[in-house]
Amino acid sequence: MRARDLLHTRPEGLYCPPGDFFIDPVRPVERALVTHGHADHARPGNGKVLATRETLDIMGIRYGEGFAGSAQVVRLGEAMEIGGARVTFHPAGHVLGSAQIAVEMDGMRIVASGDYKRRADPTCAAFEPIACDVFITEATFGLPVFRHPESAGETARLLESVRQFPERAHLVGAYALGKAQRVIRLLRDAGYGETIYIHGALARLCDYYVSQGIDLGPLAPATIESGTKDQFAGAIVVGTPSAFADRWARRFPDPVACFASGWMRIRQRAKQRGVELPLILSDHSDWDELTATITETGASEVWVTHGREEALVRWCALAGIAAQPLHLIGYEDEGD
């Protein structure tokens, strides 16, 4: 069987003819298999959706319970037959509930990894390399310049700044799903036990993570109603990046603008966003993790999508691995 007979691209996204389903479609389809809950991968309006319990719960939180015609829970590692294709979901290490999707038929196995990272994340299951014939990899940080430092070191830099400037509030920009909860959990693991204040846009997702057994410690809303401006002196406040551009951010005393993202590796990006303390914390694999993962899968062919495809395709060619970009449109870096 040719790989493209099992999976190929259509305007709606990655399509499996034998199973008649799409993976992370960008347009509504009759049957969608969803890797994780970020909005560029999990969209409302599909007829049937298959995903992990956590991803379905997150879609319900974000879109309401009517986000699809029907929803089916898929357990990690549990095989199912869809049409003539055998499908299994495996941990991706990206955010809570995130999964890679392996599709097999007639001795051909393709793994669509979605978004993934390799380093430890206390808020989700760790990535598992899956042996396959074709590996579909993201390339968000698919350039050698992107080599991310250890997460504990970035957390330590934030806490050191809090100690040095007790009169200032530290405002940490972090995406609402996954990054915000990971930043909070990393702070707890570093021994920070004080109340962490959160923007209202994070509340439901933080509550959901806690309901799934992830201890985020004491949290409180960062609202005027719940406290005076002075209350936030020396505090850590976590909010969505967009919140830092509105009036909400101006209520805090002499704030230190922080942003947790892999893009903070690029100084100019931090400068453009007015970030005083850039924190290089990514929920995507860096260059070394991307190339190591490709090697570990043993894939003889690699398809590269959403990101810096060219450099990774070139690396594969030098390593003797057939590779090509998929040029899928509609995937962003929300999760970073």
Side-chain angles (χ1 to χ4, degrees):
M1 160 174 259
R2 296 179 308 169
R4 276 153 187 76
D5 294 331
L6 186 56
L7 271 181
H8 61 249
T9 58
R10 284 190 176 181
E12 298 93 333
L14 270 175
Y15 178 62
C16 175
D20 192 22
F21 61 78
F22 288 85
I23 296 176
D24 292 351
V26 296
R27 301 177 187 174
V29 299
E30 179 54 33
R31 175 176 284 172
L33 278 57
V34 175
T35 59
H36 65 281
H38 281 138
D40 56 333
H41 291 258
R43 300 170 193 258
N46 295 300
K48 301 175 183 175
V49 172
L50 283 74
T52 63
R53 163 52 63 196
E54 295 87 351
T55 293
L56 294 175
D57 289 344
I58 289 166
M59 292 180 75
I61 290 170
R62 295 190 129 186
Y63 302 129
E65 291 307 314
F67 64 84
S70 66
Q72 180 179 347
V73 174
V74 178
R75 295 179 181 175
L76 294 173
E78 185 177 84
M80 65 174 63
E81 300 291 330
I82 305 178
R86 185 175 188 267
V87 174
T88 49
F89 283 52
H90 305 268
H94 180 53
V95 297
L96 183 62
S98 61
Q100 310 168 75
I101 299 176
V103 183
E104 302 174 58
M105 188 176 184
D106 294 341
M108 170 69 67
R109 177 188 283 173
I110 303 177
V111 171
S113 59
D115 292 333
Y116 66 97
K117 72 173 177 296
R118 301 301 307 272
R119 59 192 61 200
D121 180 345
T123 67
C124 67
F127 179 95
E128 294 180 2
I130 307 299
C132 56
D133 301 290
V134 179
F135 184 59
I136 304 175
T137 181
E138 60 146 315
T140 302
F141 293 113
L143 289 172
V145 68
F146 291 112
R147 288 186 162 96
H148 301 148
E150 290 301 317
S151 304
E154 297 304 281
T155 308
R157 291 175 56 236
L158 171 59
L159 292 176
E160 179 59 25
S161 183
V162 171
R163 283 189 287 270
Q164 285 183 338
F165 304 105
E167 74 286 3
R168 304 178 70 184
H170 283 67
L171 274 56
V172 182
Y175 289 104
L177 170 59
K179 181 62 65 60
Q181 295 79 24
R182 183 178 169 215
V183 166
I184 293 168
R185 187 58 248 173
L186 286 170
L187 287 167
R188 300 309 186 197
D189 289 346
Y192 187 76
E194 302 296 321
T195 296
I196 294 175
Y197 297 90
I198 59 172
H199 185 273
L202 306 182
R204 293 190 68 195
L205 285 167
C206 285
D207 288 346
Y208 179 69
Y209 268 63
V210 172
S211 77
Q212 298 305 299
I214 298 165
D215 183 6
L216 299 180
L219 304 177
T223 59
I224 291 176
E225 289 77 17
S226 66
T228 64
K229 191 172 183 177
D230 291 342
Q231 175 188 345
F232 298 105
I236 295 177
V237 181
V238 182
T240 59
S242 60
F244 288 76
D246 65 26
R247 291 173 54 194
W248 176 82
R250 293 197 291 272
R251 70 186 56 176
F252 302 102
D254 192 17
V256 178
C258 317
F259 187 29
S261 169
W263 295 112
M264 292 299 96
R265 169 61 72 192
I266 307 299
R267 288 173 181 254
Q268 190 61 23
R269 285 238 182 179
K271 186 176 179 181
Q272 287 171 345
R273 300 187 72 129
V275 175
E276 184 174 348
L277 180 59
L279 302 170
I280 307 171
L281 287 169
S282 176
D283 282 338
H284 297 265
S285 294
D286 68 7
W287 173 259
D288 291 332
E289 292 163 346
L290 289 169
T291 55
T293 302
I294 290 171
T295 301
E296 285 183 65
T297 66
S300 58
E301 187 171 348
V302 172
W303 300 347
V304 186
T305 181
H306 60 287
R308 281 69 194 159
E309 293 101 329
E310 294 79 7
L312 209 52
V313 168
R314 175 64 175 160
W315 179 90
C316 288
L318 294 173
I321 301 170
Q324 62 178 297
L326 282 186
H327 300 302
L328 288 173
I329 298 172
Y331 301 99
E332 307 297 337
D333 61 343
E334 179 202 352
D336 195 66

